[in-house]
Amino acid sequence: MSAVAKLKIRRGSHGGPARWEAFEVPFEPGQSVLDGLRWLRINKDPTLAMRFSCINANACKECMIQLDGETVYACTARLEPREMTLTPLPNKPIIRDLVTEIAPPSERFK
Amino acid sequence: MPSESTSIETDVLVIGSGAAGMYAAIEASRAGARVLLIDRSLIGRGGATVMAQMTVAAALGEEVPDAPRHHYDDTIAAGRGLCDEALAQLLCEEAPACIRELDAWGVGWARKGNHITATTAPGHDRARCVYVDFINTGPAVSKTLRTVMARNKDLRKAGDICIVDLVAGANGEISGAVGWHVGSGAAVTIAAKATVLATGGLTRLYRRNSASLNMGGDGYALALRAGASLIDMEFVQFFPIGHLAPRLVGMDPIMWDPFRYKLGGRLLNGRMEEFTSRYGSDEDGKYVLPRDLATYAIFKEVEAGRGSPHGGAYLSFEHCSAAALRAAFGPVIDRLAANAIDLTCMPVEVAPIAHYHMGGVIADVQMQTELPGLFAAGEVVGGANGANRLSGNAITEALVFGRRAGRSAAAHAKTIARKHLRAEDASAALDLVDNGGPNRRDLNTAAMIARLQAIMADDVGPFRTAAKLNRALAGIAALAEELGERPPHPAGASDGGFDLQRLEWFDLRNMLLVARTVAQSALARTESRGAHQREDYPQMLPSWRRHQRARLAGGTLQLSGAPAEALVS
């Protein structure tokens, strides 16, 4: 049996109740957590919300989430063949699932 | 269920916040216009600029004598006879002023002594390409422009806005745009006296690409549906040595080019043999091979069974000492080490990757499109780079065209006394935002995008045949049917934020139209030129030294030819 990463993800939208969902993602050495999340959206659940733009370059800095309680960029944090807990940033308003309001106030739609 | 709708008024609306959009916003604001800059992603973070790790071409003449006409000659030569000469001339003539303005704003161009230093990228006759070390050009340009914008309190910015359509009046004049706020799901109507499209290119249509998620060609689709024409949509530039293996995170896949500028590097096939001489260019340890030829050489080696294990070529710096690598690339060496890559003792694998689009919206040297009130800037503009873009011209055109578009849009806005967006012109787009189709939560938009990317990569890549292009067009049509005419029903009001299925539905609406335009244009061009190579029509033909215009008429794409030199009226 090939190795899998178990992603335990905190989901829910602004003002609504939070829930935990767990997914198994095929694991290949070298992959990023963002690779796993993108695989999930294509193959399991396209409703999963996350924010990213540059995909792999760590240039846009949009994919900040928490992994096991530590703030990381999903594009540079490595996927590992174990249970990994993914949560939105704790100090920003939640929009949906892993997406938080991270734009500076002057760059937001008001 | 209509969402809460917001109406905004501005003099100048700029759509897209890469370098072109930000420069346009700054310039329009300097000219006294009220400006609203919006982006589908966050301001200054999405798009291509922030990803640009390479160089910016400008004839500064600080280290070696240079003049815009030499830059122009190289641009025209690279374009394989198809450059819009007036746009190319503008690009080359105004590049030095933009580079110097960014310098004054503190971008931090790499310097030697007291002058800005430049490198020689392939296709340039001398050292002309400036950069910010280490492979930090794009982020530095983005950050600088954002900082300049922040000084101006009258320049409004709003991220997370998905534009659905431009608002066109009865006479074709553009009076603003309709979109929705991704963060809340709310509809947004923006009335603008002038609108600047700065949405970038279309690399997201391809499986392997070097740009951001939001480069899905939205500007081309917005322009087409509003009634504007596009040109040269068949010319998609593939960057020959995009990173392929081993898996590398935290670095853009085009990151090897600056290494090649500084250190050369050897391109080898799967048998560790040099091979580019078989395709008419001997590298001899230096980096001189143009992008279209390098892409061709790698594809042909792979086709002949001489590719690297993952289906590309090897790039080796094993002849360089650790000290030389460290001197050239500083902290990047550590980032490679974190990915278990040690260039002193191993090659990496590289392969062509979708990188840039030469085609786009028709605009004149004032960046005025065919539609009154609509301007364009940056990669979304077609023609300046012909059939093949010269290295280093992408950020240059973003800066030059952005600055010009901002100035033109502000001047146009001054000629309009008051807002003129008529509710009836915006109603169809608002209806699409507010009234979705049936609840289609099973619609896997993420998988549909992946399928489209596979179709485009396999059948509308750099090497094309009629059979492949027809197969692609059928696949694109099937996806369009699956997508349907209406977006998924909006989620409930309390659950409206960051609905990615809905966002991807609107993305696919644009992407499928643009994919069809690329494939259809490629099918019609029965020759090979620059980035468009037809295996069934391998010759470059003098009779095809002409642009193809594409416009939408009642849902049908119409293509027509125009001689290359007669494009600008």
Side-chain angles (χ1 to χ4, degrees), chain B residues 256-421:
Chain B
W256 294 115
D257 222 36
F259 278 74
R260 300 207 75 195
Y261 295 161
K262 289 189 177 178
L263 298 172
R266 296 169 70 214
L267 205 52
L268 307 168
N269 68 14
R271 299 176 188 167
M272 306 306 277
E273 304 159 343
E274 297 199 335
F275 61 92
T276 56
S277 58
R278 288 191 195 128
Y279 305 93
S281 180
D282 199 344
E283 289 219 299
D284 195 25
K286 293 195 183 69
Y287 185 32
V288 293
L289 198 59
R291 288 180 177 173
D292 47 0
L293 289 181
T295 295
Y296 183 77
I298 294 172
F299 260 84
K300 286 294 162 191
E301 283 300 292
V302 173
E303 199 175 83
R306 297 190 294 264
S308 64
H310 291 83
Y314 286 115
L315 177 63
S316 171
F317 294 94
E318 291 163 275
H319 56 290
C320 301
S321 69
L325 286 161
R326 171 69 63 178
F329 290 95
V332 177
I333 296 298
D334 302 320
R335 283 154 74 185
L336 291 170
N339 282 279
I341 293 172
D342 179 354
L343 295 177
T344 60
C345 61
M346 62 189 276
V348 294
E349 287 181 64
V350 294
I353 184 168
H355 181 53
Y356 175 86
H357 192 52
M358 272 72 73
V361 180
I362 292 181
D364 67 13
V365 290
Q366 301 306 327
M367 299 294 124
Q368 167 73 58
T369 70
E370 294 171 328
L371 306 178
L374 183 66
F375 300 83
E379 188 175 347
V380 78
V381 175
N385 298 288
N388 178 54
R389 176 174 62 78
L390 185 65
S391 298
N393 271 356
I395 299 293
T396 309
E397 80 175 351
L399 301 172
V400 170
F401 294 175
R403 188 172 76 146
R404 179 61 68 98
R407 200 175 294 167
S408 299
H412 180 82
K414 278 184 187 155
T415 67
I416 294 173
R418 58 185 197 84
K419 74 149 188 159
H420 59 297
L421 185 143

Side-chain angles (χ1 to χ4, degrees), chain A residues 13 30 35 41-42 46-47 51-54 56-57 59-62 75-76 78 95-96 99 106-109, chain B residues 41-42 45-46 51 146 159-160 181 183 212-213 247-251 338-339 444 495 497-498 500-501 504:
Chain A
S13 31
D35 290 338
R41 288 201 67 251
I42 292 170
T47 71
R51 189 195 276 286
F52 68 103
S53 181
C54 79
N56 192 63
C60 73
K61 313 290 186 189
E62 291 191 10
C75 74
T76 52
R78 299 284 181 174
I95 300 176
R96 183 195 291 259
V99 180
S106 69
E107 294 177 352
R108 288 180 201 169
F109 173 69
Chain B
S41 178
L42 300 177
R45 310 250 216 126
M51 310 278 292
R146 266 177 90 196
D160 285 336
H181 176 226
S212 299
L213 184 68
R247 184 77 177 94
L248 174 59
V249 306
M251 305 275 290
N339 282 279
N444 191 337
D495 196 34
F498 237 89
L500 281 190
Q501 270 181 302
E504 285 170 338

Side-chain angles (χ1 to χ4, degrees), chain B residues 451-476:
Chain B
R451 280 157 57 201
L452 174 62
Q453 289 171 327
I455 288 170
M456 294 299 285
D458 294 341
D459 288 339
V460 198
F463 303 101
R464 299 152 174 187
T465 64
K468 287 206 260 184
L469 292 166
N470 279 313
R471 187 168 62 190
L473 283 164
I476 292 163

Side-chain angles (χ1 to χ4, degrees), chain B residues 56-111:
Chain B
V56 188
L60 294 176
E62 294 196 9
E63 284 185 314
V64 292
D66 199 357
R69 67 190 157 84
H70 303 307
H71 183 189
Y72 174 80
D73 288 343
D74 289 343
T75 299
I76 295 294
R80 311 278 185 253
L82 269 200
C83 289
D84 178 317
E85 293 171 4
L87 288 180
Q89 195 173 342
L90 174 70
L91 188 162
C92 298
E93 281 179 356
E94 298 203 345
C98 290
I99 293 302
R100 292 210 168 90
E101 181 155 65
L102 273 164
D103 192 49
W105 284 335
V107 72
W109 300 124
R111 292 187 123 77

